[in-house]
Each structure stands twice: as structure tokens, then as C-alpha cells.
Amino acid sequence: MKSDDALEDALVRTSFRVMAVLTRIGSENDLSLTQLRLLGLLRDRRPRMTELAAFLGLDKSTMSGLVERAERRGLVARGKSPDDRRVVDVFITPMGSELAERLQEEVRAALAPFTDRLRADDRHTLTELLSAVSGTAGATNAL
């Protein structure tokens, strides 16, 4: 096996483990994986609907339905952008923030048996490497 093959295999195995954790936690909270991702994205930003759709890889109508379902649950809301009143932003509500924080703790606890195997400096290095691979260096959004 070439070294790149080993790297790709390790990344895939790791993503399967993480996706299993996220799917289980989402399911236990009556959230799809995409809804879970939506809450994670909205924790520290107020994007336009079009930006959310692009990031999640959804078309406009699917994005609208996703946001509507989350709105009905009181997790997110839509409002006029403070920067451009013609634009509609999506933002997390206090109830959504509380849920997102609780879910983040559940994810952290579920992944701890794997991440706790590493020394603190190795965890830091892995965080930097994974951020570089995912193109999210400096991002703090975990969900």
C-alpha cells in the first residue's frame, strides 16, 4: 500500500467513526445529520440562505425546507440582514444555541475514548493537521 493510500484509508476510517457518532447523537435528538450540521454552522455566524445552501450542498428548495423544519422546532429563525435589508439571514435561537452546546458536549464525550489516547501535544498537532486537510484552519465550529 502506498503512503497516500494509507493516509486516505485512515481518513476514511476516521470519518466513518465520526459520522457514526454524529448520526447516533443526531438521531437521539430527532435531528438528521444535515440538521446537526446546520446548527453547528449557525453557532458563530449569521449566513444568508444562499451561503448555507452552498456550504451544505443543497438546492434552494431543500434548504428552505430544512430551515422551516428547524424554525418550527424553535432552533433557528430568519431575519433581515443588518448589513443589507433586502437579504434574509438565518440565525440560531437561544433554544438552538442551548441544544447545539449540549450536542457538542455529547460529541466530545463520545469521541473522548479515541482522542484521549493521544498526548496533549499530539492532539494539538492532529487538530492542526486536520484543519489544514479540511481547509478550516482557525475555525472553531465543531458540529
Side-chain angles (χ1 to χ4, degrees):
M1 185 182 283
K2 295 186 304 188
S3 64
D4 285 349
D5 291 345
L7 173 61
E8 291 162 3
D9 191 49
L11 284 170
V12 169
R13 282 194 321 272
T14 302
S15 71
F16 286 168
R17 186 174 303 261
V18 172
M19 295 302 281
V21 166
L22 295 175
T23 300
R24 178 184 54 78
I25 289 171
S27 177
E28 290 170 355
N29 290 277
D30 197 30
L31 295 169
S32 69
L33 188 55
T34 305
Q35 290 169 322
L36 194 67
R37 290 177 65 206
L38 174 68
L39 289 179
L41 286 169
L42 295 178
R43 286 177 40 195
D44 65 353
R45 61 185 64 104
R46 185 179 168 137
R48 296 176 177 189
M49 285 283 287
T50 54
E51 292 168 336
L52 271 177
F55 189 84
L56 294 171
L58 302 173
D59 61 40
K60 186 178 176 181
S61 65
T62 304
M63 187 72 236
S64 292
L66 178 71
V67 170
E68 284 172 19
R69 287 187 295 283
E71 278 181 312
R72 283 195 298 272
R73 289 184 63 178
L75 303 175
V76 304
R78 287 183 256 201
K80 298 285 185 192
S81 169
D83 301 325
D84 184 344
R85 305 293 293 160
R86 299 167 295 172
V87 174
V88 175
D89 291 341
V90 181
F91 57 94
I92 197 165
T93 64
M95 182 189 303
S97 287
E98 184 179 305
L99 177 60
E101 286 176 32
R102 185 171 55 77
L103 294 173
Q104 181 62 40
E105 286 305 314
E106 289 181 35
V107 169
R108 186 173 288 115
L111 294 176
F114 310 106
T115 58
D116 287 352
R117 297 176 190 166
L118 301 172
R119 294 186 327 250
D121 58 330
D122 288 339
R123 284 195 302 270
H124 177 74
T125 299
L126 180 59
T127 300
E128 289 180 343
L129 291 170
L130 290 172
S131 294
V133 168
S134 67
T136 58
T140 58
N141 238 352
L143 282 181

